[in-house]
Amino acid sequence: MTSSRTHIFRLLKWGRTLAKHGALRDIEKHKTTPPQVRRLFRIARLGTIQPKTPNYSAALQAIGPAAIKLGQTLATRPDIIGEEAARDLLQLQDNLPPVAFEKIAEEIEASLGKPISALYSHIDPEPVGAASIAQVHRATTIEGKDVAVKVLRPGIIKKFTADIETYEWAAAHLEAFGGEAKRLRPQLVIANFRRWTMRELDLRREAASASELTEHMANVEQFEIPAIDWDRTSGRVLTLDWVDGIKISRRDDLISAGHDLNDIANRLVHTFLKQAIEAGYFHADMHQGNLFVKADGTIVAIDFGIMGRINRKARFWLAEILYGLTTGNYKRVAEIHFEAQYVPDHHNMEDFATALRAVGEPMRGKPVSELSVGDMLDGLFAITRDFDMETQPHLLLLQKTMVMVEGIATDLNPGINMWDTSGPYVKNWIRGELGPEAAIADRINSDMDTLLMLPDIVRRLDQQLPRQGGAPPPPPVADVELIWERRKPGQNGGFWRYALTAVIAASAGAGALWMWGQNWL
């Protein structure tokens, strides 16, 4: 088990990198930041020269791959890091210098158990993309098929595992401070981050995700997912069909090729809604680098390392929330929040409906260039604190992806109205799923399920079933021993021994830091 000293050493090292990029200043000043965290921030930035304008993206890129992924997750949480930081992190680019091809070749051969010459007739040593977790090379199989070969960076699993352990340690201590830090549930945020990231580090899971999404989207016209070459895929290597198309970010090239950008934008939004609301399984990393447009207008998605899943009950609530906001039915939206237990029962439903109206009304009927889904999420986050709403980790990926899709759609068509685009789809889905025919079918299925459950119900009469909310059961969080719990009876200063280690790690000038730390204590 990693020691607390090691965790503090890492945190102070990362803290100094953040401080050098001005990324600690606003968080330190925020009124909800616990005093203990502010003090550690002061230690971390001691002796640094901070720029006037924070550069959060550059700071996380300088820290390393796990920080880049964490930054992309935090980009959806302006309630935690502030709106300015969230906007900056949305621009975070997951690009790193490539690993030498010799090491990549070793990874391929070791993972697939064959020499490269037995797998591919040609593989380009220059990668077409290099990100924090893996890099991609174009190749041709021995059968003559053009493919893309994705290979994990050597040693990346060990690096991520170590960094995430420190995130878990920090989250546990932050939550233990109570107050606002506890309400934001940082341990659950990191627990979900671990789950998402560990899945992304297993390329067999990514291949399976692509295969499952292909089944869900089989009947969707002009949306495509590359086929997987399972014989050349393992935990560290993924081989799939090569995509010939224009990156969706290259607007001018799309226009030159004769594509209808408005049509592409609308289809992209509908495709995302079909995945999230109808299938309950969606591509959760739909940034511009992962979407291409083929010559016939087909949208092709790649990179299925991060996927989101929403259960059926939560999808019903989500659809009704979206439709309620588009139609101005704030009372129904408020009712759903209370039914899903997103808002505690001691609050007044009418008051919450009024707060929702303040968020929704400014947006209705306006183009996304003026107000957007991102603005709506910011507004919703702003009222969560007033109504004691805890973080819903199962919706974080959805929120992140909604912002991504909106950004791409806006680039393609600056005048698009996301509400007008999504409203009819959501309305039809609700009618199909919640209309009379669907209700009868659901009732039949529900009654049959109840009959099958009767024997088990009789055996469990002595148990009180908990009320169902909108969130699935949370994942287990890391079991972290808090440093102030390590003190033995009669001993003092256990915490400060670790704090001293942190101070020494924070600066080469150990003597000056010690004197400053003594004054602080």
Side-chain angles (χ1 to χ4, degrees):
M1 181 180 294
T2 305
S3 69
S4 294
R5 288 183 175 88
T6 300
H7 290 311
I8 294 177
F9 183 92
R10 289 176 186 160
L11 289 170
L12 267 294
K13 180 182 177 182
W14 297 340
R16 288 192 68 75
T17 301
L18 291 168
K20 290 175 183 177
H21 289 83
L24 292 183
R25 186 188 302 109
D26 291 341
I27 303 176
E28 181 182 334
K29 291 179 180 179
H30 200 280
K31 61 181 180 180
T32 62
T33 301
Q36 302 92 328
V37 175
R38 288 184 186 148
R39 292 167 186 158
L40 290 176
F41 280 4
R42 291 179 194 138
I43 296 174
R45 63 175 172 79
L46 187 66
T48 62
I49 300 175
Q50 302 181 66
K52 292 182 179 180
T53 302
N55 192 335
Y56 303 99
S57 299
L60 294 182
Q61 285 181 308
I63 291 173
I68 292 173
K69 289 297 179 185
L70 182 60
Q72 292 174 334
T73 299
L74 291 176
T76 65
R77 300 304 311 277
D79 56 329
I80 292 179
I81 61 175
E83 293 183 9
E84 180 182 353
R87 282 194 297 270
D88 183 83
L89 290 179
L90 284 174
Q91 309 303 317
L92 186 60
Q93 296 297 311
D94 193 1
N95 297 318
L96 291 177
V99 176
F101 182 70
E102 291 75 16
K103 294 183 178 180
I104 292 297
E106 292 174 2
E107 284 288 307
I108 294 174
E109 294 182 339
S111 185
L112 296 179
K114 295 180 181 179
I116 284 186
S117 58
L119 298 165
Y120 311 101
S121 61
H122 171 73
I123 183 167
D124 192 340
E126 291 296 322
V128 294
S132 57
I133 285 180
Q135 61 190 56
V136 179
H137 294 257
R138 184 170 186 172
T140 304
T141 66
I142 54 175
E143 295 84 9
K145 192 172 187 178
D146 287 336
V147 294
V149 183
K150 184 175 182 177
V151 187
L152 290 185
R153 287 176 174 266
I156 194 65
I157 296 176
K158 182 178 180 180
K159 170 65 175 170
F160 262 76
T161 301
D163 287 356
I164 291 175
E165 283 183 3
T166 298
Y167 297 160
E168 291 172 336
W169 185 93
H173 285 79
L174 181 62
E175 194 161 322
F177 293 147
E180 181 71 1
K182 183 177 181 180
R183 185 188 72 83
L184 295 173
R185 303 165 84 184
Q187 282 190 281
L188 270 183
V189 173
I190 297 301
N192 278 280
F193 174 71
R194 172 185 276 277
R195 292 171 66 199
W196 303 335
T197 304
M198 290 301 113
R199 291 173 188 170
E200 198 172 357
L201 289 169
D202 184 350
L203 296 185
R204 287 169 300 195
R205 293 285 297 272
E206 179 174 344
S209 297
S211 177
E212 181 177 351
L213 189 61
T214 299
E215 292 180 2
H216 288 305
M217 305 299 290
N219 297 324
V220 178
E221 296 181 356
Q222 291 192 295
F223 183 81
E224 186 178 301
I225 296 163
I228 304 297
D229 184 339
W230 289 100
D231 292 334
R232 296 175 177 84
T233 294
S234 67
R236 290 179 287 166
V237 179
L238 169 63
T239 303
L240 68 168
D241 286 355
W242 180 260
V243 177
D244 280 318
I246 302 172
K247 275 191 176 183
I248 206 165
S249 59
R250 290 159 52 185
R251 193 173 188 275
D252 292 341
D253 291 344
L254 292 173
I255 294 173
S256 298
H259 291 295
D260 183 342
L261 301 193
N262 295 347
D263 176 63
I264 294 173
N266 289 336
R267 284 193 287 115
L268 179 65
V269 173
H270 287 165
T271 298
F272 166 67
L273 291 171
K274 180 176 177 63
Q275 293 177 39
I277 295 179
E278 186 173 328
Y281 189 66
F282 61 94
H283 191 311
D285 200 17
M286 293 179 70
H287 61 72
Q288 292 180 329
N290 287 339
L291 295 168
F292 293 80
V293 180
K294 296 175 70 173
D296 64 354
T298 297
I299 299 173
V300 184
I302 63 169
D303 194 351
F304 307 93
I306 305 176
M307 305 296 293
R309 198 182 294 276
I310 313 173
N311 64 39
R312 193 163 184 261
K313 181 179 289 186
R315 297 204 309 272
F316 285 143
W317 276 319
L318 172 64
E320 286 205 79
I321 287 172
L322 289 175
Y323 188 61
L325 288 173
T326 62
T327 59
N329 190 352
Y330 303 109
K331 182 179 180 181
R332 179 55 188 151
V333 176
E335 289 173 350
I336 295 166
H337 277 77
F338 278 79
E339 289 173 14
Q341 297 184 20
Y342 294 156
V343 180
D345 288 336
H346 64 265
H347 284 287
N348 182 279
M349 188 181 300
E350 286 73 19
D351 286 345
F352 186 66
T354 301
L356 289 171
R357 182 180 294 274
V359 175
E361 280 300 300
M363 301 184 60
R364 296 178 61 203
K366 292 188 177 181
V368 91
S369 58
E370 297 179 27
L371 289 167
S372 65
V373 172
D375 294 327
M376 180 202 71
L377 291 177
D378 289 346
L380 289 176
F381 281 133
I383 66 174
T384 58
R385 187 177 298 109
D386 294 338
F387 289 88
D388 302 315
M389 292 172 62
E390 292 188 334
T391 296
Q392 302 298 325
H394 69 293
L395 296 179
L396 291 181
L397 281 178
L398 179 70
Q399 294 163 356
K400 165 190 169 184
T401 311
M402 286 176 69
V403 174
M404 283 184 176
V405 170
E406 179 196 50
I408 298 172
T410 305
D411 287 342
L412 293 170
N413 176 14
I416 190 173
N417 186 309
M418 289 289 285
W419 299 120
D420 291 344
T421 303
S422 60
Y425 179 92
V426 175
K427 179 181 179 180
N428 291 335
W429 186 84
I430 291 175
R431 184 173 182 176
E433 294 292 325
L434 301 181
E437 300 87 351
I440 292 172
D442 281 349
R443 180 60 183 268
I444 294 173
N445 290 332
S446 177
D447 289 347
M448 287 298 298
D449 289 342
T450 301
L451 287 173
L452 293 173
M453 289 172 58
L454 278 176
D456 189 55
I457 292 174
V458 173
R459 288 192 297 267
R460 295 169 179 259
L461 284 176
D462 59 329
Q463 297 183 8
Q464 181 179 357
L465 294 177
R467 178 183 169 192
Q468 291 294 313
V477 299
D479 185 14
V480 175
E481 183 181 33
L482 304 177
I483 54 179
W484 48 80
E485 293 177 347
R486 295 178 64 95
R487 299 180 184 175
K488 296 180 180 179
Q491 286 186 340
N492 293 312
F495 171 81
W496 301 117
R497 287 201 303 274
Y498 292 111
L500 176 60
T501 304
V503 173
I504 294 174
S507 172
L513 278 177
W514 167 248
M515 301 225 11
W516 186 88
Q518 288 291 88
N519 292 333
W520 174 45
L521 295 175

